[in-house]
Amino acid sequence: MSADPRSTPALSTPAETIGPHVARATLAIHGGRTHPAIGEAVVSPLVQSVNHVLSVGTTDGVLYTRYANTPNAVAVQRKLALLEGAEASLVLASGMGATTCTMLALLRPGDHLITSEWIYGGTRRFFEQELPALGVTVTEVSPDAPRQWRRAVTPATRAIFLESPVNPTTRVLDMRPISALAREAGLALVVDSTFASPINFRPLEHGADVVIHSATKYLNGHHDILAGVVCGSESMVDEVRQKMMIWGQAPDPFALWLLERGLKTLDVRVQRQNRNAQQIAEWATTHPRIARVHYPGLPTHPDHALAREMLDGFGGMLAIELAGGGDATPAVLERLRLITHAPSLGGVDSLVSEPRYTSHAHMTPDARAAIGIPDGFLRLSIGLEDPADLIADLAQALE
Ligand SMILES: *Cc1c(COP(=O)(O)O)cnc(C)c1O
């Protein structure tokens, strides 16, 4: 192997790469790579070049950043496929890019999509505003009424979309009956697994066909890049890649490099976030100014038993409802000194946001309350700080 620093990293064949025989914590660090040879870089080099030299007289081997086939894309896509237990993965410019390109690949004018009502606000807007304009009809099903899934199926239905755990309510969906229905009716089951990360849940093990992540969140984990991931079969991922190339949703090499770097600590980060969030959720249930705590690790959570059965960890996301309702949130947000008032989630810094002003701002207060987000609802993304410091910060802000 050449030690020339100008050379691109070797694209090893799957037979030589570190693959599914090692544990997920090991995959996060070494997955998809060969063991570095003497003189080779230990870390995947950043190849910040849009274009790569062509071979003469053939259409083969065109490497271009928008095609997601350049060295930093290939390296991180292998690792992500291994972490999800998928045949292939594709990294796109954002989580929304991952969802939109997946739907463009699956649906044609005249087709019908069934979606859970409990989904990220941006996804909901894509389904409500953009898909109908493309001639796709959409039926929203409340997971509280599970018999509606089957009733919603029509001869034009092509896919079912769901998100679990749900942003921001932390509800957990039982995928098993939905994946059985999808199989029976020949529908693609697409799952946004952003909140869980592959450390806590792997939808493909429960009958999903496609897994989507906002890699902006746990996968990168440091609040410094925007990216999305699609995992599934080689053929499915290739169809999404075709859409990504045309709709221009490819990520930049530096974002891919940072994502690979962030992934190395995914297992330790998520394990610690699971523990921190559990501790903070338990503390929050005892506080007089907090009316309700939403965390799947609490026995009072409506899906606690299901979460115990389905998830390997309850996650780093929790929500609280202030006893003082919507009027009580400004004072608390202004007094916090460690927990930062910002959108997004899943990083090393703890964040707090108010969905009525962020992800769910486009809905009326009544519509939000109907899906479990009343005014006074604060979403917390628990980071890697010492949990006692986070509890002290919340306690002083609630005084
Ligand atoms: C943030 C988020 C998205 C969108 O991801 P971006 O990277 O911001 O485009 C999609 N789904 C869920 C559950 C999210 O939290």
Side-chain angles (χ1 to χ4, degrees):
M1 192 109 335
S2 164
D4 182 344
R6 290 167 304 174
S7 69
T8 57
L11 302 181
S12 48
T13 62
E16 300 170 294
T17 59
I18 295 167
H21 55 285
V22 298
R24 213 158 265 105
T26 312
L27 282 179
I29 298 165
H30 299 290
R33 280 206 84 182
T34 50
H35 194 64
I38 293 167
E40 221 191 338
V42 171
V43 172
S44 299
L46 167 61
V47 185
Q48 188 72 26
S49 180
V50 159
N51 38 10
H52 293 251
V53 180
L54 293 166
S55 13
V56 177
T58 168
T59 56
D60 290 347
V62 179
L63 303 187
Y64 189 57
T65 292
R66 185 161 40 77
Y67 300 176
N69 61 1
T70 52
N72 292 107
V74 170
V76 74
Q77 284 167 178
R78 279 212 198 98
K79 198 189 288 285
L80 284 161
L82 287 162
L83 284 167
E84 270 305 340
E87 227 172 77
S89 95
L90 178 70
V91 180
L92 300 95
S94 67
M96 283 306 297
T99 302
T100 56
C101 289
T102 299
M103 290 302 154
L104 290 168
L106 282 169
L107 303 166
R108 301 281 174 275
D111 286 350
H112 175 239
L113 169 72
I114 301 172
T115 178
S116 165
E117 223 174 53
W118 300 346
I119 53 174
Y120 175 72
T123 310
R124 179 185 270 258
R125 288 173 69 181
F126 173 61
F127 291 167
E128 289 179 355
Q129 295 173 14
E130 304 298 323
L131 283 184
L134 297 172
V136 174
T137 52
V138 181
T139 301
E140 294 178 354
V141 168
S142 169
D144 267 338
R147 279 206 296 268
Q148 297 299 323
W149 293 107
R150 184 174 294 276
R151 292 208 189 117
V153 177
T154 75
T157 309
R158 294 288 168 268
I160 301 179
F161 182 93
L162 52 91
E163 181 181 304
S164 179
V166 174
N167 180 19
T169 58
T170 76
R171 293 293 304 269
V172 179
L173 270 59
D174 190 355
M175 265 185 56
R176 291 164 296 189
I178 305 170
S179 73
L181 170 65
R183 180 140 325 141
E184 196 186 303
L187 313 175
L189 177 59
V190 183
V191 177
D192 181 337
S193 192
T194 297
F195 264 40
S197 90
I199 304 304
N200 286 341
F201 187 58
R202 290 162 304 284
L204 297 177
E205 292 173 3
H206 301 272
D209 298 293
V210 183
V211 178
I212 288 174
H213 287 277
S214 167
T216 311
K217 317 293 171 56
Y218 287 101
L219 297 180
N220 177 62
H222 293 75
H223 307 303
D224 52 13
I225 65 155
L226 199 64
V229 181
V230 176
C231 299
S233 68
E234 198 83 61
S235 62
M236 178 65 218
V237 167
D238 195 55
E239 284 179 40
V240 182
R241 181 181 294 111
Q242 301 307 317
K243 296 299 173 192
M244 181 198 73
M245 287 163 60
I246 294 167
W247 291 75
Q249 287 296 315
D252 180 80
F254 188 44
L256 292 161
W257 186 86
L258 281 174
L259 176 58
E260 189 181 356
R261 173 186 157 122
L263 278 175
K264 293 188 184 193
T265 54
L266 180 68
D267 186 75
V268 277
R269 281 189 284 108
V270 172
Q271 306 287 357
R272 170 67 179 257
Q273 281 163 315
N274 289 342
R275 283 203 303 280
N276 279 5
Q278 181 76 36
Q279 209 171 317
I280 293 161
E282 285 171 11
W283 169 81
T285 60
T286 66
H287 199 286
R289 296 253 161 93
I290 299 175
R292 267 188 88 179
V293 184
H294 303 266
Y295 186 66
L298 295 176
T300 50
H301 187 280
D303 310 313
H304 179 63
L306 176 68
R308 284 181 74 111
E309 204 183 331
M310 303 283 282
L311 307 180
D312 294 335
F314 299 119
M317 298 302 299
L318 64 99
I320 56 177
E321 287 174 33
L322 298 185
D327 293 341
T329 60
V332 173
L333 294 174
E334 278 161 14
R335 292 178 65 129
L336 286 167
R337 290 294 168 264
L338 282 176
I339 301 172
T340 306
H341 181 211
S344 201
L345 61 107
V348 298
D349 307 58
S350 291
L351 303 179
V352 60
S353 66
E354 235 186 315
R356 65 173 163 159
Y357 295 123
T358 57
S359 57
H360 292 69
H362 61 288
M363 295 171 74
T364 65
D366 286 346
R368 277 194 299 265
I371 58 167
I373 314 168
D375 289 352
F377 185 108
L378 294 177
R379 185 188 77 174
L380 289 159
S381 169
I382 301 303
L384 302 188
E385 302 91 339
D386 189 288
D389 289 329
L390 296 175
I391 287 171
D393 194 32
L394 283 168
Q396 63 80 27
L398 285 161
E399 252 166 40

